[in-house]
Amino acid sequence: MDFSPLSENDIEEMLKCIGIKKIDDLFEDIPPQIRDPIIKIGKGISELECLQKLQELSKKNKVFDAIFCGAGIYNHYIPPVVVELTHRSEFYTSYTPYQAEISQGMLQAIFEYQTSICNLTGMDATNASVYDGATALTESLIMAKAISRKNKFIILQPINPEYHQVIDTYALSSDYIVDYKSIDILKQMDPSSEIGAVVIQNPNFIGEVQDINYLVDLIRKKFPQAVIIYLVIEASSLGILKRPGSFGIDIVCGELQALGLPISFGGPTIGFIATLSKHMRKLPGRIVGKTKELHGSQEGYILTLQAREQHIRREKAASNICSNEALCMLSVQIYLSSMGYSGIRQNAELNIRNATYLKRKIHELTSYSVVNFESPIYNEFLVSCKRGLYPKIEKLCIMNNICPPLKLTNKMIELLSIGSSIHFSEDFDYFLVCNTEMNSKESIFTFVEILKEAGEQ
Amino acid sequence: MTEKTSIPTIFEKSNNCPLTHHRIPVSNLLNDKLSDLIPNSFLEPPHGYACDEKLILPEISEVELVRHYITLSKRNYGVDNGFYPLGSCTMKYNPKVCEYISSLNGFNHIHPYQPECQGALQLMYELESKLCEIVGMDAFTLEPAAGAHGEFTGILIIKKYFEDKGIKKKYIIVPDSSHGTNPATSAMCGFAVIQINSNNEGEVSLTELESVMKQGDVAGIMLTNPNTLGLFEREILKITEIVHKYGGLCYYDGANMNALMGKCKPGEMGFDIVHLNLHKTFSTPHGGGGPGAGPVGVKSFLQEYLPNPRIIKIEDRYYIEDFAKLSIGKVKTFYGNFSVLTKAYTYIILLGEDGLKRASENAVLNANYIRVKLSSLLDLPIKRLCKHEVVFSDKNMPNNITTMDLAKRLLDYGYHAPTIYFPLIVHGAIMIEPTETETKSTIDGFLSTIEKIYQEALNNPEVLKMAPNNTPIGRLDDVEAARNPILKFNCNC
């Protein structure tokens, strides 16, 4: 099946108008030795066959009833109204809103989204999204370099290992140097004016809600020149935690998947960067501003501050970003509007309660220990058990149609151990449990039973 | 003339106190005081006000929410609304079956760290191999989230390749007709940019290329073919040969691949690295500016540099792990924009090799039809066969009518405007890309509208200067927007 509606007759007429005999004549400027290659991908099929084939393929993925895995992608409730409205094809089949007069819908939605994100983070300005949380962080580091004119950065551990890897990749391209440190190590460091930025992930990778007030004070004392970056990967926590802007943070960035986007095997998601007014011209990517008509009195919206961008500045641009995650942005904005602050607050509280309940239950079990039992948590926590126990848990979970928690791989442990104060022992398996509002009481009980059974085997 | 209107923001439609929606239940597991779970000082006060009287988020009933965004959707223009001849962007029709499949639970409701995801891995593995076939590469990564992200990945591979070999390279060459992302990417990866001029045929000048390559510290070239004038670089084999001769690598910007599927492979043109824009060529929608996907393909000598993790197939099972030994690392969390990948995969198996080839043929046919029909009216700087798009200049426009005026007047007649003022080497460029999914009568309608606008330009130029008139809002003051940025509602709060 294809989607080109030209008939034989149409083609005949058009060729005649162009003054050529056959379609192949349109390609005669391609060197003959490379013209008309064979591509072996199979002949086209009917829509029905295609549908059946892909439905079959989709069934090879297990869709779990309950999910106890997070670690950067979070299973949250998405009200049907969000999906319905985002699927208006006036939105999803449009291009970047360069032609403002016929793109007011998307432009206004972006403006509203920018308002929501600024309000939620307590910051002054944000962009219309970047690819994901990790690239939001790397772009924030590039911003921090421009602001502080320094290229040495400290990332507080434990940070999500996926993010750690992306930071290291981007460090190959830019001339920045990154050090990973635990808070304990940070406390012992000598003051320095050489540090350009410090990154705090909150809640951190193992789910702990941190004392940001204390950390900001500490960092300002040690590294007075540093730009403080608050990284949020579980954005539903913004529904209850004190807004980062109230601590005097310079840049808030991260991932908004938790606010209205499906888990979708990890993508697409949406990165954001919010900052203070004084740094807004250093933001990468598209930004929408409000303005007036040139010849009239109505107010409207337009892409603005474009002098930062690649299509104007070429090699002098703030970033090379062009396409972003606009439709994900729309989902987030509609999600936030459908919930209101009251809704996301209630949801965040439920996450804290469900996860803390499970944390306590697991800690009571003889074969398991919650590594960060004493810390306040949002919706995740780290559990250890004797080595070799995890595969039993995984097997029982799958049998009960439960997506098991994430077992930390050797690579993850290696990354988390850099400059860290968590001691990982080779005698244990470590797994990160996530419990959102989506897991029913029954599935939580089943999960605890599974852990118990696996431990007793 | 349509009356212009502004729509209040959703914040202005909000109640001034929190609503109770009951979308989320209350906890039935743990009834401790919240402050016993998390210190009160870590928490935002529960009232939800950003400042004295302003709520953090709108509080609005569902019906009001729906009406607001439906109203906004009507003030937006997509391919589903009408013809979208936006050059360089390949705004083709987005088949609904692709949308449907990407929303299947088995694709949409799976966690990237979950066990039992063979279907997803198989889909990605097969998509990689199909893309390899289409562009003539040996290995692909699906990780990059967009074209520019793919460029970043590809240029970083080039950088690491030379660094690992201990060869110092300083420059990347881009033609003056290149996309802005090309020089921006090169700079982002730490290369200095050398821009070379096009010859008077609109193609890369071989003599200039050779003289720049001779310097010896050029890492390579970034090239689009067909180039942004819509012209096939006829000397492409010599271009890649020259770059290789002086130790450089050739990067193919796949933005214009819709011209060439089944007609010619970048790998056979001599390119070493390719990125594709799945949201262009393979019809996953643009989404108002994303999410896209910008997979990167390489020849075998570079495959160990691709981002990790890689997917491999052993017997009948698929594995995703850090197999690439010299990898540049990860460029994104997890494995790329998976749901975009499911749409592109669906599109590719639906059309197959014959359908993709016909898509490119008809895209090129439509563009050449427009080229011939319009060249009696508008100035065509380079008069020869084009590929999937055609670029006119503003030279023949009467009465000081600009490209901008023409573009804005097209909006009045219900069309999206072409890409304008790009490429930079054509004065007042008007870049038209019809794609293969339009009927002849749609294109004929567009052509006669341009003719009508041309007559207006002769007889009633004022109507063009004031255009658009029939849109929800008139031309906006972009200078004021940048001078005094208002980036959120009620920002003096």
Side-chain angles (χ1 to χ4, degrees):
Chain A
M1 182 174 181
D2 73 32
F3 297 90
S4 180
L6 296 181
S7 69
E8 297 274 323
N9 259 349
D10 293 336
I11 293 174
E12 209 55 42
E13 262 180 66
M14 292 163 88
L15 287 173
K16 209 168 143 193
C17 167
I18 297 166
I20 53 175
K21 290 207 170 60
K22 51 188 192 307
I23 292 270
D24 282 346
D25 297 346
L26 291 167
F27 295 89
E28 64 176 25
D29 47 4
I30 299 176
Q33 62 269 45
I34 58 170
R35 205 189 297 160
D36 292 317
I38 294 165
I39 49 174
K40 284 180 288 184
I41 57 166
K43 291 251 182 283
I45 55 177
S46 68
E47 189 172 81
L48 176 59
E49 287 166 298
C50 174
L51 204 64
Q52 286 166 338
K53 186 180 153 82
L54 276 138
Q55 264 162 344
E56 207 52 48
L57 200 54
S58 80
K59 285 180 197 149
K60 292 189 188 170
N61 299 320
K62 197 166 177 71
V63 176
F64 292 102
D65 292 338
I67 296 177
F68 289 91
C69 185
I73 290 289
Y74 299 97
N75 181 36
H76 285 294
Y77 180 63
I78 302 171
V81 66
V82 177
V83 180
E84 179 99 10
L85 289 174
T86 312
H87 271 149
R88 287 287 292 198
S89 68
E90 296 90 335
F91 289 130
Y92 80 71
T93 70
S94 66
Y95 193 71
T96 301
Y98 287 125
Q99 291 293 334
E101 299 87 345
I102 53 169
S103 310
Q104 282 299 297
M106 195 52 128
L107 286 163
Q108 181 166 340
I110 297 173
F111 183 80
E112 292 175 352
Y113 159 87
Q114 289 174 182
T115 309
S116 297
I117 297 307
C118 287
N119 286 355
L120 262 184
T121 55
M123 304 303 279
D124 303 322
T126 189
N127 59 14
S129 81
V130 294
Y131 310 131
D132 70 353
T135 56
L137 177 56
T138 55
E139 292 276 10
S140 297
L141 291 175
I142 293 167
M143 264 179 84
K145 197 175 105 184
I147 294 167
S148 67
R149 301 186 179 276
K150 302 189 188 306
N151 68 347
K152 285 190 180 144
F153 307 140
I154 293 174
I155 316 278
L156 289 184
Q157 287 277 36
I159 185 176
N160 185 310
E162 293 271 338
Y163 285 62
H164 188 133
Q165 292 177 72
V166 176
I167 294 168
D168 289 353
T169 302
Y170 273 73
L172 286 177
S173 71
S174 309
D175 54 339
Y176 63 68
I177 301 158
V178 182
D179 255 340
Y180 296 84
K181 306 276 182 206
S182 70
I183 293 168
D184 291 337
I185 294 177
L186 188 81
K187 279 191 230 167
Q188 293 156 21
M189 285 177 74
D190 292 331
S192 163
S193 56
E194 289 307 302
I195 303 300
V198 180
V199 177
I200 310 167
Q201 183 189 338
N202 194 44
N204 67 17
F205 178 62
I206 58 173
E208 294 164 352
V209 180
Q210 315 200 58
D211 189 343
I212 302 298
N213 212 14
Y214 167 77
L215 284 175
V216 169
D217 270 0
L218 181 69
I219 294 163
R220 292 272 183 244
K221 273 186 202 126
K222 298 260 183 192
F223 315 116
Q225 320 269 332
V227 170
I228 302 183
I229 301 176
Y230 181 110
L231 170 67
V232 54
I233 300 178
E234 218 312 0
S236 74
S237 67
L238 293 170
I240 195 159
L241 298 184
K242 195 165 253 185
R243 294 180 300 142
S246 54
F247 299 106
I249 300 276
D250 304 291
I251 296 174
V252 184
C253 70
E255 173 60 63
L256 300 175
Q257 176 272 329
L259 302 174
L261 292 172
I263 55 181
S264 186
F265 210 50
T269 62
I270 168 176
F272 80 99
I273 305 173
T275 191
L276 306 170
S277 294
K278 61 181 173 184
H279 305 315
M280 82 169 125
R281 285 172 203 270
K282 295 199 168 64
L283 280 168
R286 291 166 184 147
I287 299 175
V288 169
K290 184 169 162 173
T291 187
K292 280 210 166 64
E293 287 178 316
L294 270 175
H295 309 297
S297 59
Q298 294 294 327
E299 289 180 325
Y301 303 92
I302 194 166
L303 291 173
T304 192
L305 305 179
Q306 294 196 58
R308 305 161 296 113
E309 292 191 68
Q310 48 78 25
H311 61 285
I312 310 284
R313 293 272 281 174
R314 296 176 73 85
E315 67 268 25
K316 294 187 185 70
S319 164
N320 73 338
I321 191 167
C322 183
S323 282
N324 53 22
E325 308 293 301
L327 202 70
C328 303
M329 178 280 322
L330 185 67
S331 294
V332 169
Q333 172 54 22
I334 297 174
Y335 172 84
L336 291 173
S337 306
S338 74
M339 298 286 281
Y341 191 75
S342 56
I344 62 168
R345 172 100 187 181
Q346 195 178 342
N347 185 50
E349 188 173 332
L350 185 55
N351 275 259
I352 293 170
R353 290 184 183 282
N354 279 1
T356 308
Y357 171 83
L358 184 58
K359 179 179 87 166
R360 291 177 185 174
K361 282 287 166 203
I362 293 176
H363 202 61
E364 285 168 11
L365 300 176
T366 47
S367 306
Y368 304 89
S369 165
V370 174
V371 175
N372 51 346
F373 183 74
E374 298 300 333
S375 307
I377 57 154
Y378 181 62
N379 64 11
E380 288 179 289
F381 52 92
L382 186 65
V383 180
S384 65
C385 60
K386 73 171 191 295
R387 199 187 174 92
L389 188 50
Y390 179 84
K392 293 179 194 164
I393 301 168
E394 183 181 41
K395 201 173 147 201
L396 286 169
C397 279
I398 295 170
M399 276 169 57
N400 284 281
N401 212 19
I402 285 174
C403 176
L406 170 71
K407 177 183 184 285
L408 299 189
T409 61
N410 290 340
K411 168 108 187 216
M412 290 171 184
I413 288 177
E414 186 190 311
L415 294 172
L416 288 166
S417 300
I418 300 172
S420 166
S421 53
I422 306 176
H423 174 68
F424 290 101
S425 157
E426 290 200 354
D427 301 330
F428 293 108
D429 283 342
Y430 293 89
F431 57 91
L432 187 66
V433 180
C434 177
N435 197 16
T436 70
E437 76 281 6
M438 296 295 276
N439 295 331
S440 67
K441 196 170 170 176
E442 293 69 31
S443 63
I444 293 170
F445 292 164
T446 308
F447 180 61
V448 174
E449 283 306 308
I450 285 170
L451 293 184
K452 210 162 154 187
E453 193 185 328
E456 283 165 1
Q457 270 177 10
Chain B
M1 187 165 149
T2 312
E3 194 178 341
K4 311 292 187 228
T5 50
S6 300
I7 306 293
T9 64
I10 194 155
F11 290 88
E12 291 156 273
K13 294 175 180 173
S14 167
N15 291 287
N16 58 8
C17 64
L19 285 179
T20 314
H21 301 275
H22 303 294
R23 291 200 196 274
I24 300 294
V26 290
S27 174
N28 51 10
L29 284 173
L30 196 64
N31 298 316
D32 299 38
K33 259 172 63 190
L34 191 59
S35 56
D36 292 342
L37 306 178
I38 291 196
N40 245 334
S41 61
F42 292 10
L43 303 176
E44 187 70 16
H47 53 63
Y49 289 92
C51 58
D52 283 353
E53 285 177 357
K54 207 179 112 204
L55 285 164
I56 291 174
L57 294 174
E59 299 281 344
I60 187 165
S61 69
E62 185 162 314
V63 63
E64 288 297 304
L65 172 78
V66 168
R67 285 179 187 155
H68 179 73
Y69 286 105
I70 296 293
T71 303
L72 291 194
S73 74
K74 289 181 183 163
R75 292 162 71 87
N76 217 54
Y77 187 98
V79 175
D80 284 4
N81 294 79
F83 189 43
Y84 219 117
L86 193 64
S88 222
C89 301
T90 314
M91 296 300 286
K92 58 169 84 175
Y93 173 69
N94 310 123
K96 300 304 165 196
V97 61
C98 303
E99 292 300 308
Y100 175 79
I101 281 167
S102 76
S103 69
L104 292 175
N105 243 349
F107 291 136
N108 214 9
H109 198 63
I110 50 175
H111 193 283
Y113 286 139
Q114 79 170 52
E116 315 267 323
C117 54
Q118 283 292 304
L121 298 183
Q122 183 182 339
L123 184 146
M124 291 168 70
Y125 183 86
E126 289 181 4
L127 180 57
E128 285 181 3
S129 65
K130 287 177 199 302
L131 296 178
C132 281
E133 265 296 311
I134 294 167
V135 299
M137 290 286 141
D138 299 315
F140 251 92
T141 175
L142 304 174
E143 213 171 278
H149 202 207
E151 290 180 25
F152 172 81
T153 305
I155 298 302
L156 204 54
I157 288 173
I158 293 179
K159 183 172 182 168
K160 186 155 193 295
Y161 171 78
F162 284 120
E163 278 177 6
D164 285 4
K165 288 204 167 332
I167 305 171
K168 277 226 178 317
K169 296 281 187 187
K170 209 173 148 193
Y171 298 101
I172 293 278
I173 297 175
V174 302
D176 53 3
S177 61
S178 66
H179 294 117
T181 49
N182 294 174
T185 302
S186 303
M188 199 170 170
C189 291
F191 287 106
V193 176
I194 299 178
Q195 185 164 298
I196 56 169
N197 297 318
S198 305
N199 62 24
N200 50 14
E201 292 281 302
E203 295 177 60
V204 170
S205 151
L206 295 182
T207 44
E208 195 171 338
L209 177 66
E210 182 139 19
S211 75
V212 172
M213 283 306 302
K214 269 185 185 156
Q215 296 180 13
D217 47 2
V218 177
I221 188 168
M222 294 184 89
L223 204 64
T224 315
N225 192 21
N227 63 29
T228 60
L229 292 161
L231 304 173
F232 192 87
E233 296 276 353
R234 289 169 294 190
E235 302 286 7
I236 188 62
L237 296 172
K238 285 198 186 122
I239 293 172
T240 54
E241 190 190 316
I242 290 169
V243 174
H244 286 145
K245 187 168 94 186
Y246 293 100
L249 296 178
C250 298
Y251 182 94
Y252 182 84
D253 174 340
N256 291 348
M257 192 62 206
N258 205 43
L260 296 182
M261 291 183 290
K263 305 306 290 185
C264 180
K265 297 181 182 184
E268 294 179 2
M269 296 178 206
F271 285 96
D272 306 295
I273 306 180
V274 169
H275 91 255
L276 292 170
N277 301 67
L278 297 188
H279 46 292
K280 296 181 180 176
T281 316
F282 301 100
S283 198
T284 74
H286 280 72
V296 170
V298 295
K299 291 277 177 68
S300 57
F301 73 100
L302 292 172
Q303 70 180 6
E304 292 299 327
Y305 289 89
L306 286 172
N308 272 324
R310 309 273 310 128
I311 305 171
I312 59 163
K313 185 181 181 184
I314 301 172
E315 286 163 5
D316 275 338
R317 270 193 86 75
Y318 300 87
Y319 300 86
I320 187 157
E321 273 171 52
D322 291 355
F323 294 113
K325 292 187 200 73
L326 305 169
S327 175
I328 57 165
K330 282 185 82 83
V331 294
K332 188 187 177 308
T333 48
F334 308 107
Y335 328 118
N337 281 346
F338 178 73
S339 91
V340 177
L341 305 178
T342 62
K343 294 175 201 182
Y345 179 87
T346 306
Y347 180 80
I348 289 171
I349 65 163
L350 201 53
L351 272 75
E353 56 207 28
D354 45 334
L356 292 180
K357 187 171 178 172
R358 197 162 47 245
S360 285
E361 288 175 346
N362 288 353
V364 172
L365 177 65
N366 282 345
N368 277 285
Y369 180 65
I370 291 174
R371 173 179 62 85
V372 169
K373 286 278 205 175
L374 276 188
S375 57
S376 57
L377 215 55
L378 302 177
D379 171 58
L380 184 67
I382 293 158
K383 295 169 184 59
R384 65 173 177 92
L385 273 183
C386 65
K387 285 287 151 302
H388 65 306
E389 64 195 5
V390 55
V391 181
F392 296 95
S393 87
D394 62 358
K395 202 171 128 196
N396 286 354
M397 306 276 270
N399 287 328
N400 293 324
I401 291 297
T402 64
T403 291
M404 180 67 83
D405 299 332
L406 169 71
K408 295 301 181 193
R409 189 61 179 153
L410 272 167
L411 308 184
D412 274 340
Y413 287 104
Y415 296 100
H416 196 280
T419 291
I420 51 175
Y421 300 105
F422 183 83
L424 308 172
I425 56 172
V426 171
H427 195 272
I430 303 160
M431 185 196 224
I432 301 174
E433 178 181 6
T435 84
E436 72 282 8
T437 61
E438 300 300 332
T439 62
K440 180 170 175 292
S441 66
T442 299
I443 291 172
D444 284 336
F446 174 73
L447 293 170
S448 53
T449 303
I450 296 222
E451 192 163 344
K452 195 166 163 188
I453 295 173
Y454 192 85
Q455 290 305 322
E456 288 176 342
L458 285 172
N459 306 321
N460 187 12
E462 202 48 27
V463 69
L464 269 76
K465 288 284 171 204
M466 295 303 288
N469 296 300
N470 303 329
T471 50
I473 201 135
R475 268 190 229 191
L476 292 165
D477 188 346
D478 55 344
V479 175
E480 180 56 24
R483 188 182 295 147
N484 177 27
I486 303 173
L487 308 183
K488 57 179 180 128
F489 171 66
N490 195 12
C491 66
N492 54 2
C493 177

